[in-house]
């Protein structure tokens, strides 16, 4: 039989149940039913949205604040173990800049909001792949050739998949 709220049972929640944390609800039966039972449940923080802005040697991650988050953890993905093993920074800020990176290299980062309520309550990872801009090649020589021709030479740039020559 389907029970009807406030006729067959009532619910009493612990306060503050809209924010991340640990909570309880007490179900009390009434009418034709007797007894009560208390259940525990957890509200986890929401995932965040992460954006990146990169240069040749740095990547700045920014993320949206999460309601009820105590802080954020920024991770680097370890491709050999296939896990988020390297904690880069624990912060209450909503941005972090990685410096001294290699030009033309792809990195995978994640931001994970968390809350505190008798322990740590984790949100899911929000990950992002970001490639630093390739370095600018240096022109080593340029010379005019035959009619309507021109030859330019430059150094190869690590991470570049091609070059665009402008005239």
């Amino acid at each position: 039989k389907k029970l009807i709220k406030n006729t067959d049972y009532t619910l009493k929640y612990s306060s503050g149940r809209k924010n991340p944390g640990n909570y309880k609800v007490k179900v009390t039966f009434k009418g034709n039913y007797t007894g009560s039972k208390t259940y525990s449940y957890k509200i986890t923080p929401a995932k965040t949205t992460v954006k990146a802005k990169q240069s040749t040697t740095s990547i700045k991650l920014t993320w949206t604040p999460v309601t009820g988050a105590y802080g954020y953890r920024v991770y680097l993905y370890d491709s050999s173990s296939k896990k988020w093993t390297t904690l880069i920074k624990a912060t209450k800020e909503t941005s972090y800049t990685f410096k001294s990176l290699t030009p033309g290299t792809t990195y995978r980062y994640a931001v994970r909001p968390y809350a505190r309520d008798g322990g740590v309550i984790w949100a899911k990872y929000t990950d992002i792949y970001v490639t630093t801009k390739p370095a600018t090649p240096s022109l080593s020589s340029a010379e005019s050739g035959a009619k309507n021709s021109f030859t330019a030479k430059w150094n190869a740039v690590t991470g570049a998949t091609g070059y665009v020559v402008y005239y």
Side-chain angles (χ1 to χ4, degrees):
K1 178 181 176 183
K2 184 175 178 180
L3 301 181
I4 301 168
K5 184 177 177 182
N6 296 326
T7 299
D8 297 318
Y9 67 94
T10 60
L11 300 175
K12 183 175 181 180
Y13 292 93
S14 54
S15 62
R17 62 190 171 109
K18 293 183 181 182
N19 293 321
N22 295 302
Y23 300 99
K24 293 184 179 192
V25 59
K26 183 176 182 180
V27 180
T28 304
F29 294 98
K30 56 191 247 181
N32 295 328
Y33 305 95
T34 60
S36 65
K37 177 81 176 173
T38 301
Y39 296 94
S40 297
Y41 65 97
K42 182 186 321 185
I43 297 176
T44 59
K47 284 179 68 172
T48 187
T49 302
V50 180
K51 294 182 180 180
K53 185 174 183 179
Q54 65 271 47
S55 71
T56 55
T57 59
S58 70
I59 294 173
K60 181 178 183 179
L61 297 182
T62 57
W63 52 91
T64 54
V66 172
T67 302
Y70 178 82
Y72 306 90
R73 297 261 172 116
V74 181
Y75 293 90
L76 174 64
Y77 187 74
D78 182 345
S79 57
S80 61
S81 69
K82 300 193 184 318
K83 293 182 181 179
W84 297 105
T85 56
T86 308
L87 172 63
I88 302 296
K89 180 78 173 174
T91 182
K92 291 187 179 187
E93 304 296 320
T94 55
S95 69
Y96 183 76
T97 301
F98 298 88
K99 298 177 182 176
S100 302
L101 301 176
T102 304
T105 303
T106 300
Y107 298 89
R108 186 178 180 191
Y109 299 109
V111 177
R112 191 176 193 192
Y114 66 97
R116 288 191 172 174
D117 184 19
V120 177
I121 301 170
W122 295 103
K124 292 184 179 185
Y125 291 96
T126 301
D127 68 324
I128 187 169
Y129 289 87
V130 187
T131 303
T132 51
K133 293 180 180 181
T136 302
S138 298
L139 191 60
S140 60
S141 68
E143 50 190 63
S144 295
K147 186 177 179 183
N148 297 327
S149 70
F150 179 82
T151 302
K153 295 181 182 178
W154 55 88
N155 63 313
V157 173
T158 303
T161 56
Y163 301 91
V164 177
V165 179
Y166 294 92
Y167 170 72

